[in-house]
Every structure is written in structure tokens, then in C-alpha cells.
Amino acid sequence: MRKLYDWVDERLDITPIWRDIADHEVPEHVNPAHHFSAFVYCFGGLTFFITVIQILSGMFLTMYYVPDVENAWKSVYYLQNEVAFGEIVRGMHHWGASLVIVMMFLHTLRVFFTGSYKKPRELNWIVGVLIFCVMLGLGFTGYLLPWDMKALFATKVGLEIAGSVPFIGDLIKVLLAGDDTIIGAQTLTRFFAIHVFFLPAALFVLLAVHFIMIRRQGISGPL
């Protein structure tokens, strides 16, 4: 492993980059050995860890999922019952979708109650809220993909809520569903595209901005 690292470092000079990332002093108030309350500062890292699991498990699921009304449920059934470890991976993705929202909510509460959203971190707070919205969007769009009755009726309720937004509600509903009268093939295709392409792209950009600002501004102080 060391020889491989030296070989890459000789050609790309990655050591200064790695040292800039790794050689970062951690404040004493986030060290659980000194402060019991420091564990609340782990919520952000745990949220990112679960997000990585969601990305990896989602990549595995897309290898078998077929986003059309004839084969969507069949592909999920095949994945869960015929593919090796498919049930485990789908279970990780299913429960991880709920857990990542819970952890992000706890992380948001920690940031709010410790005042970490204040100057000079206002922009990072805004980015964090946008990440939260993207995560909620991922949860909503992913719920329809199994194409069962529960997903169908839950999505119908969600679209009705979106349609109740003043002035632009009908536009949002048609944009998501493809049709303002029925949830069908266009709806499934659009939800799949939004879930797999558009929202993950936005998430990657927002996470990069979030981490860059954390790196520049450092970890916030205690309450």
C-alpha cells in the first residue's frame, strides 16, 4: 500500500493536498474525552456517513430497477427475492432514507441551539437548509419507485399538497407528474430521473460548498 501511495505521489504530488485536509486541529469542545456533550457534534458526520451508504446502495439498486409501469414492481420483487444480498441492500436503502432525515434534523437542531448559524456562518446555514430540502425531495421521489399501492396513494397525496401551493402549485404538480389527472408512466419516469440524476447532482454541489465553508471557517464554538 505504501509503495502504491509513493508511486501516485511521485506523479501527482498528493501529499500536500492530503496534509491540508488531514492536518486539521479539532477544537477541544468537540472531543468526547473532555466534554460529554461533544457527541452532538457527531450528527453532521453521521448524516454524511448515512448519505454515502444511500448513494452506494442506490447505485446497486439502479443496476436492477426498471423505471416503467410494466416492470417497476417486478424488478423490485426480483431484486428483493432473487438477487444475492438484494434484500439486505434494499433494506439498507429503505431504512437509511428515514434515518438520514432523522440525523439531519438532529444536526440542524444542534446548529440552531448552539448558535452555529450566526456570523460568519450564515451562508453555510442557508446551504445546510437547501441540503435538507434536497434530502426531503429524494425521500419523496424515491417513495414512488417501487410502484405498489402504498407508494401510489402516498405520492397522490404529496402531489395534491404540491398543487395547493399558491400561484405555482398547478405548475409544480404538472412538472412532477407529467399529467394533472393521473399518476402514470410519465410520473414514474420523471420521479426516477429527479431521484437518480437531478437531485443527486444538486446534493453533490451543495455538499461540496458546505464542506469547503466548514474547512475555511472551522468548527463552530460551544454554546
Side-chain angles (χ1 to χ4, degrees), residues 88-110:
I88 296 175
V89 177
R90 191 195 170 209
M92 291 170 60
H93 198 76
H94 173 80
W95 294 108
S98 299
L99 186 57
V100 73
I101 297 299
V102 172
M103 293 307 304
M104 185 167 291
F105 180 69
L106 293 175
H107 178 56
T108 303
L109 287 180
R110 197 281 300 168

mmCIF file with all atom_site columns, all heavy atoms in Angstrom, residues 88-110:
data_model
loop_
_atom_site.group_PDB
_atom_site.id
_atom_site.type_symbol
_atom_site.label_atom_id
_atom_site.label_alt_id
_atom_site.label_comp_id
_atom_site.label_asym_id
_atom_site.label_entity_id
_atom_site.label_seq_id
_atom_site.pdbx_PDB_ins_code
_atom_site.Cartn_x
_atom_site.Cartn_y
_atom_site.Cartn_z
_atom_site.occupancy
_atom_site.B_iso_or_equiv
_atom_site.pdbx_formal_charge
_atom_site.auth_seq_id
_atom_site.auth_comp_id
_atom_site.auth_asym_id
_atom_site.auth_atom_id
_atom_site.pdbx_PDB_model_num
ATOM 1   N N   . ILE A 1 88  ? -31.024 -7.274 1.581  1.00 0.00 ? 88  ILE A N   1
ATOM 2   C CA  . ILE A 1 88  ? -30.249 -6.512 2.556  1.00 0.00 ? 88  ILE A CA  1
ATOM 3   C C   . ILE A 1 88  ? -29.968 -5.109 2.034  1.00 0.00 ? 88  ILE A C   1
ATOM 4   O O   . ILE A 1 88  ? -30.154 -4.111 2.746  1.00 0.00 ? 88  ILE A O   1
ATOM 5   C CB  . ILE A 1 88  ? -28.935 -7.237 2.884  1.00 0.00 ? 88  ILE A CB  1
ATOM 6   C CG1 . ILE A 1 88  ? -29.227 -8.576 3.562  1.00 0.00 ? 88  ILE A CG1 1
ATOM 7   C CG2 . ILE A 1 88  ? -28.045 -6.371 3.768  1.00 0.00 ? 88  ILE A CG2 1
ATOM 8   C CD1 . ILE A 1 88  ? -27.996 -9.419 3.812  1.00 0.00 ? 88  ILE A CD1 1
ATOM 9   N N   . VAL A 1 89  ? -29.527 -5.020 0.785  1.00 0.00 ? 89  VAL A N   1
ATOM 10  C CA  . VAL A 1 89  ? -29.179 -3.713 0.222  1.00 0.00 ? 89  VAL A CA  1
ATOM 11  C C   . VAL A 1 89  ? -30.417 -2.827 0.097  1.00 0.00 ? 89  VAL A C   1
ATOM 12  O O   . VAL A 1 89  ? -30.387 -1.644 0.426  1.00 0.00 ? 89  VAL A O   1
ATOM 13  C CB  . VAL A 1 89  ? -28.503 -3.881 -1.156 1.00 0.00 ? 89  VAL A CB  1
ATOM 14  C CG1 . VAL A 1 89  ? -28.208 -2.512 -1.766 1.00 0.00 ? 89  VAL A CG1 1
ATOM 15  C CG2 . VAL A 1 89  ? -27.215 -4.671 -1.017 1.00 0.00 ? 89  VAL A CG2 1
ATOM 16  N N   . ARG A 1 90  ? -31.531 -3.425 -0.343 1.00 0.00 ? 90  ARG A N   1
ATOM 17  C CA  . ARG A 1 90  ? -32.748 -2.623 -0.441 1.00 0.00 ? 90  ARG A CA  1
ATOM 18  C C   . ARG A 1 90  ? -33.221 -2.185 0.947  1.00 0.00 ? 90  ARG A C   1
ATOM 19  O O   . ARG A 1 90  ? -33.707 -1.067 1.133  1.00 0.00 ? 90  ARG A O   1
ATOM 20  C CB  . ARG A 1 90  ? -33.856 -3.411 -1.145 1.00 0.00 ? 90  ARG A CB  1
ATOM 21  C CG  . ARG A 1 90  ? -35.024 -2.484 -1.488 1.00 0.00 ? 90  ARG A CG  1
ATOM 22  C CD  . ARG A 1 90  ? -36.285 -3.197 -1.855 1.00 0.00 ? 90  ARG A CD  1
ATOM 23  N NE  . ARG A 1 90  ? -37.370 -2.217 -1.934 1.00 0.00 ? 90  ARG A NE  1
ATOM 24  C CZ  . ARG A 1 90  ? -38.628 -2.486 -1.695 1.00 0.00 ? 90  ARG A CZ  1
ATOM 25  N NH1 . ARG A 1 90  ? -38.989 -3.709 -1.355 1.00 0.00 ? 90  ARG A NH1 1
ATOM 26  N NH2 . ARG A 1 90  ? -39.550 -1.548 -1.781 1.00 0.00 ? 90  ARG A NH2 1
ATOM 27  N N   . GLY A 1 91  ? -33.081 -3.076 1.932  1.00 0.00 ? 91  GLY A N   1
ATOM 28  C CA  . GLY A 1 91  ? -33.443 -2.700 3.295  1.00 0.00 ? 91  GLY A CA  1
ATOM 29  C C   . GLY A 1 91  ? -32.583 -1.563 3.818  1.00 0.00 ? 91  GLY A C   1
ATOM 30  O O   . GLY A 1 91  ? -33.083 -0.644 4.479  1.00 0.00 ? 91  GLY A O   1
ATOM 31  N N   . MET A 1 92  ? -31.285 -1.601 3.516  1.00 0.00 ? 92  MET A N   1
ATOM 32  C CA  . MET A 1 92  ? -30.396 -0.507 3.923  1.00 0.00 ? 92  MET A CA  1
ATOM 33  C C   . MET A 1 92  ? -30.842 0.810  3.295  1.00 0.00 ? 92  MET A C   1
ATOM 34  O O   . MET A 1 92  ? -30.869 1.851  3.957  1.00 0.00 ? 92  MET A O   1
ATOM 35  C CB  . MET A 1 92  ? -28.958 -0.829 3.502  1.00 0.00 ? 92  MET A CB  1
ATOM 36  C CG  . MET A 1 92  ? -28.324 -1.976 4.264  1.00 0.00 ? 92  MET A CG  1
ATOM 37  S SD  . MET A 1 92  ? -26.752 -2.488 3.542  1.00 0.00 ? 92  MET A SD  1
ATOM 38  C CE  . MET A 1 92  ? -25.806 -0.978 3.660  1.00 0.00 ? 92  MET A CE  1
ATOM 39  N N   . HIS A 1 93  ? -31.200 0.765  2.009  1.00 0.00 ? 93  HIS A N   1
ATOM 40  C CA  . HIS A 1 93  ? -31.615 1.985  1.318  1.00 0.00 ? 93  HIS A CA  1
ATOM 41  C C   . HIS A 1 93  ? -32.959 2.482  1.841  1.00 0.00 ? 93  HIS A C   1
ATOM 42  O O   . HIS A 1 93  ? -33.156 3.689  2.024  1.00 0.00 ? 93  HIS A O   1
ATOM 43  C CB  . HIS A 1 93  ? -31.703 1.709  -0.190 1.00 0.00 ? 93  HIS A CB  1
ATOM 44  C CG  . HIS A 1 93  ? -31.708 2.946  -1.025 1.00 0.00 ? 93  HIS A CG  1
ATOM 45  N ND1 . HIS A 1 93  ? -30.570 3.693  -1.270 1.00 0.00 ? 93  HIS A ND1 1
ATOM 46  C CD2 . HIS A 1 93  ? -32.714 3.576  -1.689 1.00 0.00 ? 93  HIS A CD2 1
ATOM 47  C CE1 . HIS A 1 93  ? -30.876 4.718  -2.042 1.00 0.00 ? 93  HIS A CE1 1
ATOM 48  N NE2 . HIS A 1 93  ? -32.168 4.676  -2.300 1.00 0.00 ? 93  HIS A NE2 1
ATOM 49  N N   . HIS A 1 94  ? -33.861 1.541  2.102  1.00 0.00 ? 94  HIS A N   1
ATOM 50  C CA  . HIS A 1 94  ? -35.204 1.900  2.578  1.00 0.00 ? 94  HIS A CA  1
ATOM 51  C C   . HIS A 1 94  ? -35.152 2.549  3.958  1.00 0.00 ? 94  HIS A C   1
ATOM 52  O O   . HIS A 1 94  ? -35.692 3.642  4.163  1.00 0.00 ? 94  HIS A O   1
ATOM 53  C CB  . HIS A 1 94  ? -36.077 0.645  2.612  1.00 0.00 ? 94  HIS A CB  1
ATOM 54  C CG  . HIS A 1 94  ? -37.419 0.862  3.236  1.00 0.00 ? 94  HIS A CG  1
ATOM 55  N ND1 . HIS A 1 94  ? -38.463 1.440  2.552  1.00 0.00 ? 94  HIS A ND1 1
ATOM 56  C CD2 . HIS A 1 94  ? -37.889 0.590  4.485  1.00 0.00 ? 94  HIS A CD2 1
ATOM 57  C CE1 . HIS A 1 94  ? -39.516 1.519  3.353  1.00 0.00 ? 94  HIS A CE1 1
ATOM 58  N NE2 . HIS A 1 94  ? -39.202 1.006  4.528  1.00 0.00 ? 94  HIS A NE2 1
ATOM 59  N N   . TRP A 1 95  ? -34.503 1.892  4.907  1.00 0.00 ? 95  TRP A N   1
ATOM 60  C CA  . TRP A 1 95  ? -34.440 2.432  6.264  1.00 0.00 ? 95  TRP A CA  1
ATOM 61  C C   . TRP A 1 95  ? -33.470 3.597  6.360  1.00 0.00 ? 95  TRP A C   1
ATOM 62  O O   . TRP A 1 95  ? -33.660 4.511  7.173  1.00 0.00 ? 95  TRP A O   1
ATOM 63  C CB  . TRP A 1 95  ? -34.063 1.333  7.253  1.00 0.00 ? 95  TRP A CB  1
ATOM 64  C CG  . TRP A 1 95  ? -35.122 0.279  7.364  1.00 0.00 ? 95  TRP A CG  1
ATOM 65  C CD1 . TRP A 1 95  ? -35.073 -1.006 6.890  1.00 0.00 ? 95  TRP A CD1 1
ATOM 66  C CD2 . TRP A 1 95  ? -36.412 0.429  7.967  1.00 0.00 ? 95  TRP A CD2 1
ATOM 67  N NE1 . TRP A 1 95  ? -36.243 -1.669 7.151  1.00 0.00 ? 95  TRP A NE1 1
ATOM 68  C CE2 . TRP A 1 95  ? -37.083 -0.818 7.820  1.00 0.00 ? 95  TRP A CE2 1
ATOM 69  C CE3 . TRP A 1 95  ? -37.066 1.472  8.607  1.00 0.00 ? 95  TRP A CE3 1
ATOM 70  C CZ2 . TRP A 1 95  ? -38.378 -1.024 8.292  1.00 0.00 ? 95  TRP A CZ2 1
ATOM 71  C CZ3 . TRP A 1 95  ? -38.352 1.266  9.083  1.00 0.00 ? 95  TRP A CZ3 1
ATOM 72  C CH2 . TRP A 1 95  ? -38.995 0.030  8.930  1.00 0.00 ? 95  TRP A CH2 1
ATOM 73  N N   . GLY A 1 96  ? -32.431 3.580  5.525  1.00 0.00 ? 96  GLY A N   1
ATOM 74  C CA  . GLY A 1 96  ? -31.493 4.703  5.512  1.00 0.00 ? 96  GLY A CA  1
ATOM 75  C C   . GLY A 1 96  ? -32.141 5.993  5.074  1.00 0.00 ? 96  GLY A C   1
ATOM 76  O O   . GLY A 1 96  ? -31.756 7.077  5.525  1.00 0.00 ? 96  GLY A O   1
ATOM 77  N N   . ALA A 1 97  ? -33.158 5.892  4.202  1.00 0.00 ? 97  ALA A N   1
ATOM 78  C CA  . ALA A 1 97  ? -33.868 7.082  3.748  1.00 0.00 ? 97  ALA A CA  1
ATOM 79  C C   . ALA A 1 97  ? -34.554 7.798  4.911  1.00 0.00 ? 97  ALA A C   1
ATOM 80  O O   . ALA A 1 97  ? -34.627 9.033  4.936  1.00 0.00 ? 97  ALA A O   1
ATOM 81  C CB  . ALA A 1 97  ? -34.892 6.702  2.678  1.00 0.00 ? 97  ALA A CB  1
ATOM 82  N N   . SER A 1 98  ? -35.065 7.033  5.852  1.00 0.00 ? 98  SER A N   1
ATOM 83  C CA  . SER A 1 98  ? -35.688 7.644  7.035  1.00 0.00 ? 98  SER A CA  1
ATOM 84  C C   . SER A 1 98  ? -34.634 8.105  8.036  1.00 0.00 ? 98  SER A C   1
ATOM 85  O O   . SER A 1 98  ? -34.739 9.191  8.624  1.00 0.00 ? 98  SER A O   1
ATOM 86  C CB  . SER A 1 98  ? -36.633 6.639  7.706  1.00 0.00 ? 98  SER A CB  1
ATOM 87  O OG  . SER A 1 98  ? -37.668 6.252  6.829  1.00 0.00 ? 98  SER A OG  1
ATOM 88  N N   . LEU A 1 99  ? -33.609 7.277  8.216  1.00 0.00 ? 99  LEU A N   1
ATOM 89  C CA  . LEU A 1 99  ? -32.591 7.597  9.216  1.00 0.00 ? 99  LEU A CA  1
ATOM 90  C C   . LEU A 1 99  ? -31.808 8.852  8.849  1.00 0.00 ? 99  LEU A C   1
ATOM 91  O O   . LEU A 1 99  ? -31.465 9.652  9.729  1.00 0.00 ? 99  LEU A O   1
ATOM 92  C CB  . LEU A 1 99  ? -31.627 6.408  9.359  1.00 0.00 ? 99  LEU A CB  1
ATOM 93  C CG  . LEU A 1 99  ? -30.570 6.511  10.460 1.00 0.00 ? 99  LEU A CG  1
ATOM 94  C CD1 . LEU A 1 99  ? -31.233 6.717  11.825 1.00 0.00 ? 99  LEU A CD1 1
ATOM 95  C CD2 . LEU A 1 99  ? -29.700 5.262  10.481 1.00 0.00 ? 99  LEU A CD2 1
ATOM 96  N N   . VAL A 1 100 ? -31.535 9.054  7.565  1.00 0.00 ? 100 VAL A N   1
ATOM 97  C CA  . VAL A 1 100 ? -30.765 10.233 7.177  1.00 0.00 ? 100 VAL A CA  1
ATOM 98  C C   . VAL A 1 100 ? -31.550 11.510 7.461  1.00 0.00 ? 100 VAL A C   1
ATOM 99  O O   . VAL A 1 100 ? -30.968 12.548 7.818  1.00 0.00 ? 100 VAL A O   1
ATOM 100 C CB  . VAL A 1 100 ? -30.357 10.145 5.685  1.00 0.00 ? 100 VAL A CB  1
ATOM 101 C CG1 . VAL A 1 100 ? -31.543 10.372 4.753  1.00 0.00 ? 100 VAL A CG1 1
ATOM 102 C CG2 . VAL A 1 100 ? -29.249 11.137 5.370  1.00 0.00 ? 100 VAL A CG2 1
ATOM 103 N N   . ILE A 1 101 ? -32.883 11.463 7.333  1.00 0.00 ? 101 ILE A N   1
ATOM 104 C CA  . ILE A 1 101 ? -33.705 12.629 7.650  1.00 0.00 ? 101 ILE A CA  1
ATOM 105 C C   . ILE A 1 101 ? -33.667 12.907 9.153  1.00 0.00 ? 101 ILE A C   1
ATOM 106 O O   . ILE A 1 101 ? -33.562 14.057 9.590  1.00 0.00 ? 101 ILE A O   1
ATOM 107 C CB  . ILE A 1 101 ? -35.156 12.425 7.176  1.00 0.00 ? 101 ILE A CB  1
ATOM 108 C CG1 . ILE A 1 101 ? -35.209 12.275 5.647  1.00 0.00 ? 101 ILE A CG1 1
ATOM 109 C CG2 . ILE A 1 101 ? -36.035 13.590 7.614  1.00 0.00 ? 101 ILE A CG2 1
ATOM 110 C CD1 . ILE A 1 101 ? -34.710 13.475 4.891  1.00 0.00 ? 101 ILE A CD1 1
ATOM 111 N N   . VAL A 1 102 ? -33.751 11.841 9.949  1.00 0.00 ? 102 VAL A N   1
ATOM 112 C CA  . VAL A 1 102 ? -33.697 11.998 11.405 1.00 0.00 ? 102 VAL A CA  1
ATOM 113 C C   . VAL A 1 102 ? -32.369 12.606 11.834 1.00 0.00 ? 102 VAL A C   1
ATOM 114 O O   . VAL A 1 102 ? -32.328 13.559 12.628 1.00 0.00 ? 102 VAL A O   1
ATOM 115 C CB  . VAL A 1 102 ? -33.920 10.640 12.105 1.00 0.00 ? 102 VAL A CB  1
ATOM 116 C CG1 . VAL A 1 102 ? -33.681 10.764 13.611 1.00 0.00 ? 102 VAL A CG1 1
ATOM 117 C CG2 . VAL A 1 102 ? -35.325 10.122 11.836 1.00 0.00 ? 102 VAL A CG2 1
ATOM 118 N N   . MET A 1 103 ? -31.266 12.074 11.295 1.00 0.00 ? 103 MET A N   1
ATOM 119 C CA  . MET A 1 103 ? -29.948 12.572 11.671 1.00 0.00 ? 103 MET A CA  1
ATOM 120 C C   . MET A 1 103 ? -29.745 14.009 11.197 1.00 0.00 ? 103 MET A C   1
ATOM 121 O O   . MET A 1 103 ? -29.143 14.825 11.906 1.00 0.00 ? 103 MET A O   1
ATOM 122 C CB  . MET A 1 103 ? -28.863 11.670 11.090 1.00 0.00 ? 103 MET A CB  1
ATOM 123 C CG  . MET A 1 103 ? -28.815 10.271 11.681 1.00 0.00 ? 103 MET A CG  1
ATOM 124 S SD  . MET A 1 103 ? -28.710 10.254 13.491 1.00 0.00 ? 103 MET A SD  1
ATOM 125 C CE  . MET A 1 103 ? -27.255 11.248 13.772 1.00 0.00 ? 103 MET A CE  1
ATOM 126 N N   . MET A 1 104 ? -30.251 14.329 10.018 1.00 0.00 ? 104 MET A N   1
ATOM 127 C CA  . MET A 1 104 ? -30.111 15.700 9.527  1.00 0.00 ? 104 MET A CA  1
ATOM 128 C C   . MET A 1 104 ? -30.934 16.662 10.371 1.00 0.00 ? 104 MET A C   1
ATOM 129 O O   . MET A 1 104 ? -30.509 17.798 10.622 1.00 0.00 ? 104 MET A O   1
ATOM 130 C CB  . MET A 1 104 ? -30.540 15.774 8.063  1.00 0.00 ? 104 MET A CB  1
ATOM 131 C CG  . MET A 1 104 ? -30.321 17.130 7.434  1.00 0.00 ? 104 MET A CG  1
ATOM 132 S SD  . MET A 1 104 ? -30.466 17.110 5.641  1.00 0.00 ? 104 MET A SD  1
ATOM 133 C CE  . MET A 1 104 ? -29.005 16.174 5.227  1.00 0.00 ? 104 MET A CE  1
ATOM 134 N N   . PHE A 1 105 ? -32.095 16.217 10.835 1.00 0.00 ? 105 PHE A N   1
ATOM 135 C CA  . PHE A 1 105 ? -32.915 17.050 11.713 1.00 0.00 ? 105 PHE A CA  1
ATOM 136 C C   . PHE A 1 105 ? -32.188 17.304 13.032 1.00 0.00 ? 105 PHE A C   1
ATOM 137 O O   . PHE A 1 105 ? -32.166 18.438 13.532 1.00 0.00 ? 105 PHE A O   1
ATOM 138 C CB  . PHE A 1 105 ? -34.257 16.360 11.962 1.00 0.00 ? 105 PHE A CB  1
ATOM 139 C CG  . PHE A 1 105 ? -35.180 17.135 12.856 1.00 0.00 ? 105 PHE A CG  1
ATOM 140 C CD1 . PHE A 1 105 ? -35.746 18.323 12.439 1.00 0.00 ? 105 PHE A CD1 1
ATOM 141 C CD2 . PHE A 1 105 ? -35.474 16.670 14.129 1.00 0.00 ? 105 PHE A CD2 1
ATOM 142 C CE1 . PHE A 1 105 ? -36.594 19.049 13.264 1.00 0.00 ? 105 PHE A CE1 1
ATOM 143 C CE2 . PHE A 1 105 ? -36.317 17.372 14.966 1.00 0.00 ? 105 PHE A CE2 1
ATOM 144 C CZ  . PHE A 1 105 ? -36.886 18.568 14.529 1.00 0.00 ? 105 PHE A CZ  1
ATOM 145 N N   . LEU A 1 106 ? -31.581 16.260 13.601 1.00 0.00 ? 106 LEU A N   1
ATOM 146 C CA  . LEU A 1 106 ? -30.815 16.428 14.845 1.00 0.00 ? 106 LEU A CA  1
ATOM 147 C C   . LEU A 1 106 ? -29.621 17.352 14.632 1.00 0.00 ? 106 LEU A C   1
ATOM 148 O O   . LEU A 1 106 ? -29.301 18.188 15.485 1.00 0.00 ? 106 LEU A O   1
ATOM 149 C CB  . LEU A 1 106 ? -30.345 15.064 15.353 1.00 0.00 ? 106 LEU A CB  1
ATOM 150 C CG  . LEU A 1 106 ? -31.436 14.105 15.840 1.00 0.00 ? 106 LEU A CG  1
ATOM 151 C CD1 . LEU A 1 106 ? -30.828 12.753 16.206 1.00 0.00 ? 106 LEU A CD1 1
ATOM 152 C CD2 . LEU A 1 106 ? -32.168 14.694 17.037 1.00 0.00 ? 106 LEU A CD2 1
ATOM 153 N N   . HIS A 1 107 ? -28.951 17.203 13.490 1.00 0.00 ? 107 HIS A N   1
ATOM 154 C CA  . HIS A 1 107 ? -27.816 18.081 13.164 1.00 0.00 ? 107 HIS A CA  1
ATOM 155 C C   . HIS A 1 107 ? -28.277 19.534 13.044 1.00 0.00 ? 107 HIS A C   1
ATOM 156 O O   . HIS A 1 107 ? -27.608 20.453 13.547 1.00 0.00 ? 107 HIS A O   1
ATOM 157 C CB  . HIS A 1 107 ? -27.170 17.615 11.867 1.00 0.00 ? 107 HIS A CB  1
ATOM 158 C CG  . HIS A 1 107 ? -26.034 18.476 11.408 1.00 0.00 ? 107 HIS A CG  1
ATOM 159 N ND1 . HIS A 1 107 ? -24.930 18.750 12.191 1.00 0.00 ? 107 HIS A ND1 1
ATOM 160 C CD2 . HIS A 1 107 ? -25.827 19.127 10.232 1.00 0.00 ? 107 HIS A CD2 1
ATOM 161 C CE1 . HIS A 1 107 ? -24.093 19.540 11.529 1.00 0.00 ? 107 HIS A CE1 1
ATOM 162 N NE2 . HIS A 1 107 ? -24.617 19.784 10.344 1.00 0.00 ? 107 HIS A NE2 1
ATOM 163 N N   . THR A 1 108 ? -29.430 19.735 12.427 1.00 0.00 ? 108 THR A N   1
ATOM 164 C CA  . THR A 1 108 ? -29.967 21.092 12.281 1.00 0.00 ? 108 THR A CA  1
ATOM 165 C C   . THR A 1 108 ? -30.313 21.681 13.641 1.00 0.00 ? 108 THR A C   1
ATOM 166 O O   . THR A 1 108 ? -30.043 22.867 13.902 1.00 0.00 ? 108 THR A O   1
ATOM 167 C CB  . THR A 1 108 ? -31.223 21.069 11.381 1.00 0.00 ? 108 THR A CB  1
ATOM 168 O OG1 . THR A 1 108 ? -30.884 20.497 10.115 1.00 0.00 ? 108 THR A OG1 1
ATOM 169 C CG2 . THR A 1 108 ? -31.757 22.474 11.161 1.00 0.00 ? 108 THR A CG2 1
ATOM 170 N N   . LEU A 1 109 ? -30.893 20.868 14.524 1.00 0.00 ? 109 LEU A N   1
ATOM 171 C CA  . LEU A 1 109 ? -31.200 21.340 15.878 1.00 0.00 ? 109 LEU A CA  1
ATOM 172 C C   . LEU A 1 109 ? -29.924 21.723 16.628 1.00 0.00 ? 109 LEU A C   1
ATOM 173 O O   . LEU A 1 109 ? -29.883 22.742 17.322 1.00 0.00 ? 109 LEU A O   1
ATOM 174 C CB  . LEU A 1 109 ? -31.953 20.255 16.652 1.00 0.00 ? 109 LEU A CB  1
ATOM 175 C CG  . LEU A 1 109 ? -33.404 20.002 16.263 1.00 0.00 ? 109 LEU A CG  1
ATOM 176 C CD1 . LEU A 1 109 ? -33.985 18.896 17.125 1.00 0.00 ? 109 LEU A CD1 1
ATOM 177 C CD2 . LEU A 1 109 ? -34.240 21.268 16.395 1.00 0.00 ? 109 LEU A CD2 1
ATOM 178 N N   . ARG A 1 110 ? -28.877 20.906 16.474 1.00 0.00 ? 110 ARG A N   1
ATOM 179 C CA  . ARG A 1 110 ? -27.610 21.221 17.143 1.00 0.00 ? 110 ARG A CA  1
ATOM 180 C C   . ARG A 1 110 ? -27.057 22.545 16.654 1.00 0.00 ? 110 ARG A C   1
ATOM 181 O O   . ARG A 1 110 ? -26.633 23.404 17.456 1.00 0.00 ? 110 ARG A O   1
ATOM 182 C CB  . ARG A 1 110 ? -26.612 20.091 16.880 1.00 0.00 ? 110 ARG A CB  1
ATOM 183 C CG  . ARG A 1 110 ? -25.401 20.070 17.821 1.00 0.00 ? 110 ARG A CG  1
ATOM 184 C CD  . ARG A 1 110 ? -24.327 21.066 17.484 1.00 0.00 ? 110 ARG A CD  1
ATOM 185 N NE  . ARG A 1 110 ? -23.787 20.869 16.154 1.00 0.00 ? 110 ARG A NE  1
ATOM 186 C CZ  . ARG A 1 110 ? -23.014 21.750 15.543 1.00 0.00 ? 110 ARG A CZ  1
ATOM 187 N NH1 . ARG A 1 110 ? -22.719 22.910 16.120 1.00 0.00 ? 110 ARG A NH1 1
ATOM 188 N NH2 . ARG A 1 110 ? -22.552 21.506 14.324 1.00 0.00 ? 110 ARG A NH2 1
#
